[in-house]
Amino acid sequence: KVGVALAALEEGIIEKDTVIDTKGIYTYYEESNYTPRCWLYLMTGRSHGPIAVVEAIQESCNYFFFDVGRQLTIEKMNEYCTLYGLGQPTGIELPEKTGILAGPDYRNDNGLGKWSPGDTIQAAIGQSDNQFNPLQISSYIASILNGGKRYSAHLLYEVREYTGELVFKNSPSVASEYKLEPDILATLKEGMKGVMDNGSAASVFSGYEISVGGKTGTADKGKTGDIIVSFCSFAPADDPEIIMLLTLDTPSRVTGTYPSGGNMVAPFASQIMAEILPDLGVEPDYTDEELLSA
């Protein structure tokens, strides 16, 4: 949703103050008997009402991004997603799968049938045929936070002889780059900070001495009814140095109930982030027990 918001802002489909009156049930394709629903409507029967992009990111409103994705088109959406590294090699020094970037090309190349307008709006919220690994998603968010510059991921920093002599040192390499306007980046950051300040993760990160940004995620596992929940966070929010993505596969096996989404792993992200904060010069004044109880 963050990447779709970026593309829509860059392409002039929306501006920061563009308001969409979300109604819970998306009826644009009603004549085709296709009326997808926002997660909030499915859980409560309510809608997010009239909202702009910052709140739509903060609340992860499906309806908002259904409409934005429809206007953006799958072709333009995937043009940006490729730059973000979604469906692309990360560069890590290990065998990896590049995942799937949903779209007509993937369907045609694999004999999976025709792409429909309904597929486009599902792709706009990260669903449809999309499949990405955690490192790709971290790299995609990092590229946005870097102002459009995506670096190849790597594990190896340097190699030294037992004497200390430097044999090899890895230099950062740029995998792709696009120019992200500063005001658009500020808008996206505002939405992701809102997740922590006012959204579902607010109670978990409320005691921090440093500003943190983030985004929840919920991925359907086909027709099984199972899901994968995820939570991405980065700090400091204004000038990020670290990014972290946690995922939990089929959480119903742990909880025995259908979870509310990526916010269920937010407490663990908060605890890990607290361990990292001293490396950023921040000494938290709360304990792990206090974080977990929150």
Side-chain angles (χ1 to χ4, degrees):
K1 292 173 181 174
V2 177
V4 170
L6 187 161
L9 289 163
E10 285 280 9
E11 294 296 316
I13 301 296
I14 59 171
E15 297 180 355
K16 181 180 180 180
D17 58 356
T18 299
V19 173
I20 293 177
D21 187 10
T22 69
K23 300 179 184 298
I25 305 175
Y26 191 68
T27 58
Y28 190 88
Y29 298 116
E30 190 172 22
E31 292 185 1
S32 302
N33 294 318
Y34 183 62
T35 54
R37 291 154 171 75
C38 182
W39 67 266
L40 183 63
Y41 184 88
L42 289 172
M43 293 185 70
T44 69
R46 297 184 291 108
S47 75
H48 288 109
I51 56 172
V53 65
V54 169
E55 187 180 357
I57 293 172
Q58 174 186 309
E59 302 299 331
S60 200
C61 177
N62 289 355
Y63 188 110
F64 184 96
F65 288 100
F66 286 152
D67 202 50
V68 169
R70 175 186 61 80
Q71 297 178 67
L72 189 59
T73 75
I74 190 63
E75 290 76 18
K76 186 59 67 173
M77 195 187 310
N78 283 357
E79 179 183 323
Y80 281 86
C81 287
T82 300
L83 291 173
Y84 307 150
L86 295 175
Q88 308 297 311
T90 65
I92 196 169
E93 306 95 331
L94 292 171
E96 65 170 339
K97 293 182 179 180
T98 57
I100 298 170
L101 180 59
D105 291 343
Y106 172 75
R107 289 276 178 92
N108 292 335
D109 292 346
N110 293 274
L112 298 176
K114 186 179 179 181
W115 185 263
S116 70
D119 291 315
T120 295
I121 66 172
Q122 285 297 328
I125 65 167
Q127 302 287 351
S128 184
D129 300 320
N130 283 314
Q131 291 187 26
F132 311 120
N133 65 49
L135 183 58
Q136 280 182 321
I137 297 173
S138 298
S139 179
Y140 134 64
I141 295 294
S143 75
I144 293 174
L145 297 173
N146 283 333
K149 186 177 291 186
R150 178 170 65 91
Y151 289 95
S152 292
H154 66 89
L155 293 170
L156 183 63
Y157 177 62
E158 65 181 23
V159 179
R160 293 181 179 270
E161 294 279 8
Y162 70 94
T163 59
E165 179 184 355
L166 182 66
V167 176
F168 169 81
K169 187 170 184 176
N170 205 332
S171 299
S173 59
V174 177
S176 64
E177 188 171 6
Y178 56 95
K179 184 180 179 181
L180 176 54
E181 296 297 329
D183 59 333
I184 294 179
L185 176 56
T187 296
L188 300 174
K189 280 186 177 181
E190 185 179 346
M192 288 188 283
K193 285 177 65 177
V195 173
M196 310 305 225
D197 297 339
N198 306 301
S200 58
S203 62
V204 179
F205 286 86
S206 61
Y208 270 58
E209 298 295 322
I210 191 172
S211 181
V212 181
K215 183 70 183 75
T216 57
T218 306
D220 292 328
K221 296 182 68 175
K223 298 179 180 180
T224 65
D226 292 327
I227 61 174
I228 299 173
V229 295
S230 61
F231 188 82
C232 183
S233 55
F234 56 89
D238 295 329
D239 188 18
E241 295 182 39
I242 58 172
I243 187 167
M244 173 173 58
L245 180 74
L246 302 184
T247 66
L248 180 59
D249 190 347
T250 318
S252 59
R253 293 182 303 180
V254 179
T255 64
T257 60
Y258 189 85
S260 57
N263 59 308
M264 75 176 297
V265 290
F268 304 102
S270 177
Q271 186 178 11
I272 295 170
M273 187 73 76
E275 299 292 337
I276 299 172
L277 289 180
D279 294 327
L280 300 178
V282 178
E283 292 293 341
D285 58 358
Y286 35 81
T287 66
D288 289 348
E289 289 74 17
E290 289 173 331
L291 288 174
L292 287 174
S293 66

Short mmCIF file of all heavy atoms in Angstrom, two decimals, residues 12 20 58 107 118 138 147 163 179 269 281 293:
data_model
loop_
_atom_site.label_atom_id
_atom_site.label_comp_id
_atom_site.label_asym_id
_atom_site.label_seq_id
_atom_site.Cartn_x
_atom_site.Cartn_y
_atom_site.Cartn_z
N GLY A 12 0.41 11.79 -10.08
CA GLY A 12 -0.64 12.80 -10.02
C GLY A 12 -2.05 12.22 -9.95
O GLY A 12 -3.03 12.95 -10.15
N ILE A 20 -10.92 10.43 -0.38
CA ILE A 20 -11.79 9.41 -0.96
C ILE A 20 -12.79 8.99 0.12
O ILE A 20 -12.40 8.68 1.25
CB ILE A 20 -10.98 8.19 -1.44
CG1 ILE A 20 -10.09 8.58 -2.63
CG2 ILE A 20 -11.92 7.03 -1.83
CD1 ILE A 20 -9.20 7.46 -3.14
N GLN A 58 -2.00 4.86 7.50
CA GLN A 58 -2.05 4.62 8.94
C GLN A 58 -3.06 3.54 9.29
O GLN A 58 -2.80 2.65 10.11
CB GLN A 58 -2.42 5.92 9.65
CG GLN A 58 -2.66 5.78 11.15
CD GLN A 58 -3.16 7.07 11.76
OE1 GLN A 58 -2.58 8.13 11.55
NE2 GLN A 58 -4.26 7.00 12.50
N ARG A 107 0.70 -13.87 -15.51
CA ARG A 107 -0.39 -14.77 -15.88
C ARG A 107 -0.14 -15.39 -17.26
O ARG A 107 -0.29 -16.60 -17.46
CB ARG A 107 -1.72 -14.01 -15.90
CG ARG A 107 -2.23 -13.60 -14.53
CD ARG A 107 -3.00 -14.73 -13.86
NE ARG A 107 -3.44 -14.35 -12.53
CZ ARG A 107 -4.64 -13.79 -12.27
NH1 ARG A 107 -5.49 -13.55 -13.25
NH2 ARG A 107 -4.96 -13.48 -11.03
N GLY A 118 -10.52 -6.72 -11.50
CA GLY A 118 -10.57 -7.10 -10.09
C GLY A 118 -9.21 -7.53 -9.57
O GLY A 118 -8.88 -7.29 -8.40
N SER A 138 11.64 -5.69 2.99
CA SER A 138 12.51 -4.75 3.72
C SER A 138 13.28 -3.86 2.75
O SER A 138 13.41 -2.65 2.96
CB SER A 138 13.50 -5.53 4.60
OG SER A 138 12.82 -6.29 5.57
N GLY A 147 14.89 7.60 -0.43
CA GLY A 147 14.57 8.59 -1.46
C GLY A 147 14.58 8.04 -2.86
O GLY A 147 14.69 8.80 -3.83
N THR A 163 45.78 -12.43 10.92
CA THR A 163 46.68 -11.37 11.38
C THR A 163 45.98 -10.02 11.45
O THR A 163 46.54 -9.06 11.98
CB THR A 163 47.87 -11.26 10.43
OG1 THR A 163 47.38 -10.95 9.10
CG2 THR A 163 48.68 -12.54 10.39
N LYS A 179 13.95 9.00 -8.75
CA LYS A 179 13.92 10.23 -7.97
C LYS A 179 12.59 10.36 -7.25
O LYS A 179 11.53 10.48 -7.87
CB LYS A 179 14.14 11.45 -8.87
CG LYS A 179 14.22 12.76 -8.09
CD LYS A 179 14.43 13.96 -9.00
CE LYS A 179 14.49 15.26 -8.19
NZ LYS A 179 14.68 16.44 -9.06
N ALA A 269 8.33 -6.88 17.79
CA ALA A 269 9.15 -5.87 17.10
C ALA A 269 9.60 -4.80 18.08
O ALA A 269 10.75 -4.35 18.05
CB ALA A 269 8.36 -5.25 15.96
N GLY A 281 22.34 5.31 20.07
CA GLY A 281 22.58 6.36 21.05
C GLY A 281 21.40 6.65 21.93
O GLY A 281 21.34 7.69 22.59
N SER A 293 4.00 -6.41 28.38
CA SER A 293 2.70 -6.23 29.01
C SER A 293 1.85 -5.22 28.23
O SER A 293 0.62 -5.31 28.24
CB SER A 293 2.88 -5.75 30.45
OG SER A 293 3.45 -4.45 30.49
#
